[in-house]
Amino acid sequence: MDILGLSSGELGSGASLVRDGALHACAREERFTRQRLDPNPPRFAAEHCLRQAGHPAAGLSGIAVAGDPADRFTRVLTGTLGQGFPLMVPAFVRSMSAWIGHHLWERDSLSRLLDVDPAAIQYRARHRCLSAAAVQGSGVDEAAILVVDTIGEWTTTTIARWKEGGAPEDVERFEYPHSLGLLSAAVAMLLGLRPWEGLAPLWDLAAWGRPTLTSRFRRVLQVHEDGTYQITPGFLRFAELFEPPYGDPWTGAFTDLFGAPRDARRPWPFRAGEAPAVVDTEDQRHADIAASLQVVIEEAMLGLARRAKAKTGAAHLCVAGALAGNASAILRLRREAGFASVHVPADPTGLSAGAALLLAAERGAPLSGRAPQPFGGRAWPAGRDLAAVARMDPMWWQRFRRRGTAPVRDARIEVTPELDDDTLLAQVVADLAAGRIVGWLEGAFESGPGGLAHRVLLADPRDLAVARRLTERVTGAAAFAPTTLLTRPEAVAALVDEPAPTAGWVPLAAHASAAARAAALTAVHADGTLRYLPVDAAVAPRMAALLDRWSASTGAPGLLLADLREAEDPLAASPADALLIFMRTEVDTLVLDQGLVRKELP
Amino acid sequence: MLLRRAMIRLGVPLLWRRIAQVQAARLLRFGITEKDSEWQILHALDDVDDPATRARVLQHALEESHHAAEFTRVSLNVAERLPPKPLPPRAPIYETGSGVEGLAGFAAYANVGEVDVFEQFDAYAAGIGPGEARSVFRESKLDELGHVGLTRAILDELVPDKRRADWLVTKVRLRRAWDVWLRFGKTLGEINTTLVLTALYLLAGLLFGWPAWRRLVGEKR
C-alpha cells in the first residue's frame, strides 16, 4: 500500500511516500528548487517520491495533504477582520489575493500536477499530521504527544495520546491567536530576523542574554498553574503573518514594552566559542529580549508537558512542531517534565510524512515508533561533475569566492575521480587536521531540514580560527549560533552530563562536561550546553568510519558539523550544488561520493 | 526595451534614491531573478553529459550564483528592515528529457533573457548614484554580456542552421513580448482586486468585525 503525503506553507513544502506504513521516500521541495523554505506546491518532491514508488500517481492507494483549506480560510477571515480593524487592510488584501489566486484551487492544481481525480486527494488537519510525524524514531509503543507550532488551521498547540498500531488521538487543543510559535516569530522580526527562518537564531541568541524582561513577557504570554496559556489581546496582530510580504505583527503596546525593531543591518557582537567583547547596551537589550522570551516559552512548554502527562498518564513524550527545535526547552522538558524519555523526531515539522503516515494508519497500516531512513531524498551520480570541474580554469573560479578573499596566483583545483575508502578517509583526516574545511556529499540527501551525514561541512572542533572561517566564509550563519559536534555514540558519555536516550537521527543538546569544554571548544554554546549528533554506523557507515579514524588520529571526540549550504540557500542537493558552494566559499576539500576535489593554494 | 529603460531612468530618481526600502526590495528581486537563472541552468544541466559543455555551463551557473549572492548581500545593507523575500514557484524553461530540441529552445530563451538583463543592469548602473549597488550592476552587466555570447555559441552548436537558430530567438522574443503584455494585464487586475478587496474589507469589517473579535478573544485556549 503506497500513500503519498504532500504539504506546503510557510515552513516549506514537501512530499513523502509511505509504503506499508513505513516511510519509503521523503524530500523537501527546497532541495529541488533551491529556494529555502519554498512554500509552493511540491511538484519536484512529488516527482521524486513517485520515481521511488516506481509507478504514477494513479497507482497510489491514497494521497493525503496536510492542512484543511476550509478551516484555514475561516481562520484567515476571522483573524484579519477580528484583529486591528480597520488597520488590517493590507493583511486582508494580501491574504484574500493569495486565497483567490491559488489556495482556493489547491485541490485542482494538485490533481493536475499528479494527473489524478480531485476526489482522490484527501485533506488531514495539520496538527494531526504533526502528531503522526512526532512518534517516528521514538522507539516506544505508547506516548503522549505535544505539538507546539506556529499555526495550523485554527490549532496552534495540541496534546495527544498514541498507542502503537493506531493513529494519534487528540486530547486537547489550543487555538489561534494563542500561539507560542507566532509569538516567537513576532519577536524574531522585532530583532531584525525573518519570521520563520529566524526562529532557530532567536533561540541561539537567547544564551547570550539575561532574562531581565520576563515580567514584561508575562504580560503578553500568561502561563497558568494548570499548564494552559494565553496570549493577552492588544499586543500582537498575528494576521500580519498570514501571507508574505509580512507586515509588523505587533501593536504600539508591544513596542512600548520591548522598544522599536532592531536595525537588521546591525551586526551582533556575540561569537560562538568566544567570550563576548564589549557589548553595546542596545545589543545587550536585544539579546535580553531573546533570553526573556526563552524563559517564558520554556515555562509554557513545561506546563504543557506536565499537563500532557496528567491527561494521558503516558511514560514517554514525543514533541513536534516548530518549537520542537528549541533545544534548551527540550532539555528542560527532559529534566523536569516527569517523562521517562522525551523524543523529538529528525524532522519535527515533517508535515508531508505525517499526512501520509496518518492516512496509512487510518487504512490499517500500523503507525510505529521505529526510526525512519534519514536519507530519503534523491541521489545523483557525481562522475559527470568531477569530469567537468577538472576542465575549469582555476584562476576563473577564484573571482567568485566570497568578498574579501583575494585571488591567489598558482592556485589550482586537484580532482581525483575515484578513490577507495581507505585512501579517501586518510586524506580527509589529514586535511581536517591541517585546518581545512571539508564538504561531504554522499548518496541521497537528508529527508529532514538539516544535514546529518550526507550533505555536511566538517571541521576540527578544537580550532577556533577554522570554526570562525566556517561561519564567516562558508555558511554565513549567525556568528552567535553554536555548531553541532558530530560524534560516535560511545563518545557521548564523556562529553555531556546527562546523555539523552535517542532512537533516531536527531541533533541533541545537553550540558557539556569539563572534558567536552576542553576538547570541543567551539561546539560548546554560551549557556554551557553542547549540541551533538551521534552517528549510527549501521545507517552511515562511511561517516562512522571517518569519525573513528579522526578520533584515533587526533584524540578529538568528534567533528564540527554544519549544513552543506550557504546562508540564504537550502541544503545542497546535487553534486553541482556542492561544487558551486565549494568554488564560491572557503571550503577547501570536497568529497563527492568516491571522488575528491581539493583546492591547492600556495 | 526602450520603454523599460525610460521607466527605469524616470523611476530611479523618484523612488530608488529616496526610499531605502524600495531599493532593498528591488535589489533582492534582482538577486532572486539571478538565482532563478542559476536554477534554470542547473535544471537543464541534468540532461547534459559532455564534460566540456558541463564545465562551460557550470561556469555560467557560478556567475549567476555570484550575482544572486551579491545582489542579496547589497540588498541587506540598504535598509533598516529586511526586504520582503518573494519565493515564486519554479517554472522550468527546459523540461527534463526533451532532448536537443528542448536544449536549443532553452539556449535561445537564455540568450534573449541575457540581452534583456544586460539592458536593465546597464540602465540601473547609469541611473543610480555611486555606491555598492552601482558597482554590482556594473560588474554584473559585463558578465551578462559574456553570457549573451556564450548562450548564442551553445545555440549555434545545437542548431548549426543559422536561419533556424535566428528563428528560435525571434520566437522567444515574441513570446516574451506577449508575457510583458500579460504581466501588464495582471498588474491592472491586481490594482482592481486591491480596490475591490479594500471595499469588501471595510464592509465585512463593519458587519462581522465584532463577532470575529469576540471569537478570537473569547477563545481562552
Side-chain angles (χ1 to χ4, degrees), chain B residues 109-123:
Chain B
Y109 197 95
N111 180 254
V112 174
E114 301 292 0
V115 172
D116 282 358
V117 169
F118 169 78
E119 295 278 350
Q120 269 196 65
F121 286 0
D122 191 42

Side-chain angles (χ1 to χ4, degrees), chain A residues 495-540:
Chain A
L495 291 170
V496 293
D497 290 342
E498 295 169 69
T502 179
W505 278 75
V506 192
L508 301 158
H511 285 282
S513 66
R517 283 166 203 268
L521 176 71
T522 55
V524 178
H525 198 20
D527 60 3
T529 57
L530 176 77
R531 314 290 159 93
Y532 65 99
L533 176 67
V535 172
D536 179 356
V539 184

Side-chain angles (χ1 to χ4, degrees), chain A residues 231-551:
Chain A
I231 301 279
T232 312
F235 288 103
L236 293 151
R237 289 195 289 252
F238 292 137
E240 290 282 8
L241 296 175
F242 286 168
E243 290 292 336
Y246 306 115
D248 290 345
W250 48 73
T251 65
F254 192 77
T255 48
D256 285 347
L257 288 178
F258 300 106
R262 181 182 171 87
D263 184 340
R265 295 168 297 182
R266 191 182 168 99
W268 291 95
F270 313 108
R271 287 184 181 285
E274 298 177 33
V278 179
V279 179
D280 184 274
T281 49
E282 185 78 348
D283 293 327
Q284 189 59 58
R285 192 175 64 78
H286 287 143
D288 293 348
I289 290 174
S292 307
L293 174 74
Q294 177 68 28
V295 167
V296 291
I297 290 283
E298 281 180 19
E299 286 170 1
M301 287 180 70
L302 192 58
L304 286 164
R306 286 177 176 151
R307 190 171 175 85
K309 175 84 182 164
K311 293 239 169 195
T312 65
H316 307 279
L317 177 69
C318 299
V319 189
L323 268 75
N326 187 325
S328 299
I330 297 298
L331 180 59
R332 196 149 171 216
L333 296 196
R334 284 204 172 101
R335 288 180 155 186
E336 300 175 40
F339 288 95
S341 72
V342 174
H343 167 74
V344 178
D347 187 359
T349 55
L351 279 162
S352 63
L357 289 165
L358 188 63
L359 187 58
E362 288 169 5
R363 297 200 172 166
L367 177 64
S368 84
R370 66 175 172 257
Q373 155 67 262
F375 309 108
R378 186 183 163 187
W380 283 261
R384 298 186 306 177
D385 291 306
L386 287 162
V389 80
R391 293 168 181 257
M392 290 171 81
D393 178 354
M395 279 310 284
W396 189 88
W397 58 261
Q398 287 198 72
R399 199 186 129 214
F400 302 107
R401 294 175 72 195
R402 278 181 171 247
R403 198 159 274 269
T405 310
V408 180
R409 286 180 69 81
D410 302 326
R412 61 193 175 87
I413 291 180
E414 190 181 84
V415 182
T416 316
E418 181 96 29
L419 283 171
D420 61 83
D421 262 355
D422 204 40
T423 318
L424 186 137
L425 296 182
Q427 181 65 61
V428 170
V429 167
D431 281 0
L432 287 163
R436 290 170 71 101
I437 295 170
V438 174
W440 181 283
L441 180 143
E442 178 188 346
F445 63 72
E446 284 83 347
S447 311
L452 300 173
H454 280 191
R455 300 290 188 277
V456 293
L457 292 162
L458 304 168
D460 185 344
R462 304 161 301 173
D463 188 340
L464 202 58
V466 80
R468 211 165 160 168
R469 201 158 62 88
L470 180 67
T471 307
E472 289 177 4
R473 299 283 181 184
V474 183
T475 64
F480 53 75
T483 32
T484 301
L485 188 75
L486 193 65
T487 188
R488 298 281 284 126
E490 307 84 73
V492 171
L495 291 170
V496 293
D497 290 342
E498 295 169 69
T502 179
W505 278 75
V506 192
L508 301 158
H511 285 282
S513 66
R517 283 166 203 268
L521 176 71
T522 55
V524 178
H525 198 20
D527 60 3
T529 57
L530 176 77
R531 314 290 159 93
Y532 65 99
L533 176 67
V535 172
D536 179 356
V539 184
R542 287 179 83 210
M543 186 56 76
L546 175 69
L547 285 165
D548 289 341
R549 270 179 180 250
W550 167 254
S551 296

Side-chain angles (χ1 to χ4, degrees), chain A residues 32-41 43-44 47 75 77-89 92-94 96-97 100 154 172-178 189 192-194 197 224 226 228-231 233 244-248 250 261-265 307 311 378 380 384-385 387-389 391-393 396-397 399-401 403 566 568-569 574 576-577 579-580 583-584, chain B residues 20 28 32 35-36 38-39 42-43 45-56 58-67 69-70 72-92 95-96 132 135-136 139-140 142-143 190 193-198 200-221:
Chain A
F32 299 97
T33 62
R34 313 304 304 144
Q35 298 194 109
R36 191 149 183 242
L37 299 184
D38 191 333
N40 299 297
R43 170 191 162 170
F44 299 100
E47 279 175 7
R75 185 254 299 160
L77 268 181
T78 312
T80 45
L81 293 173
Q83 279 180 313
F85 179 82
L87 302 174
M88 301 295 281
V89 174
F92 181 83
V93 170
R94 280 198 308 271
M96 288 306 116
S97 298
I100 295 166
W154 276 93
E172 190 172 23
R173 287 188 297 219
F174 297 71
E175 293 197 340
Y176 180 86
H178 307 292
M189 280 183 79
L193 304 164
R194 293 204 184 277
E197 293 161 73
H224 304 132
D226 62 358
T228 60
Y229 70 90
Q230 184 183 2
I231 301 279
Y246 306 115
D248 290 345
W250 48 73
R262 181 182 171 87
D263 184 340
R265 295 168 297 182
R307 190 171 175 85
K311 293 239 169 195
R378 186 183 163 187
W380 283 261
R384 298 186 306 177
D385 291 306
V389 80
R391 293 168 181 257
M392 290 171 81
D393 178 354
W396 189 88
W397 58 261
R399 199 186 129 214
F400 302 107
R401 294 175 72 195
R403 198 159 274 269
E566 289 186 79
E568 294 283 319
D569 292 343
S574 69
D577 299 334
L579 275 169
L580 292 188
M583 285 190 266
R584 279 192 24 78
Chain B
L28 187 60
I32 287 166
K35 198 75 194 163
D36 186 64
E38 179 201 335
W39 182 84
L42 292 179
H43 184 73
L45 194 67
D46 223 13
D47 276 4
V48 176
D49 286 324
D50 173 50
T53 309
R54 279 188 83 84
R56 275 197 300 170
L58 260 180
Q59 285 185 185
H60 184 174
L62 185 56
E63 285 193 353
E64 301 292 14
S65 166
H66 175 69
H67 297 165
E70 283 295 283
T72 304
R73 181 183 64 77
V74 176
S75 78
L76 300 179
N77 289 340
V78 170
E80 278 186 22
R81 311 293 293 275
L82 290 173
K85 189 177 169 188
L87 296 170
R90 295 278 192 222
E95 287 293 346
T96 309
E132 269 194 313
S135 58
V136 173
E139 186 195 358
S140 303
L142 294 177
D143 289 339
E190 280 169 359
T193 308
T194 301
L195 293 172
V196 170
L197 286 174
T198 302
L200 190 66
Y201 171 75
L202 294 171
L203 183 67
L206 289 171
L207 292 173
F208 305 113
W210 175 245
W213 182 81
R214 287 192 57 182
R215 165 75 171 88
L216 295 176
V217 173
E219 191 59 67
K220 293 289 181 200
R221 51 175 214 244

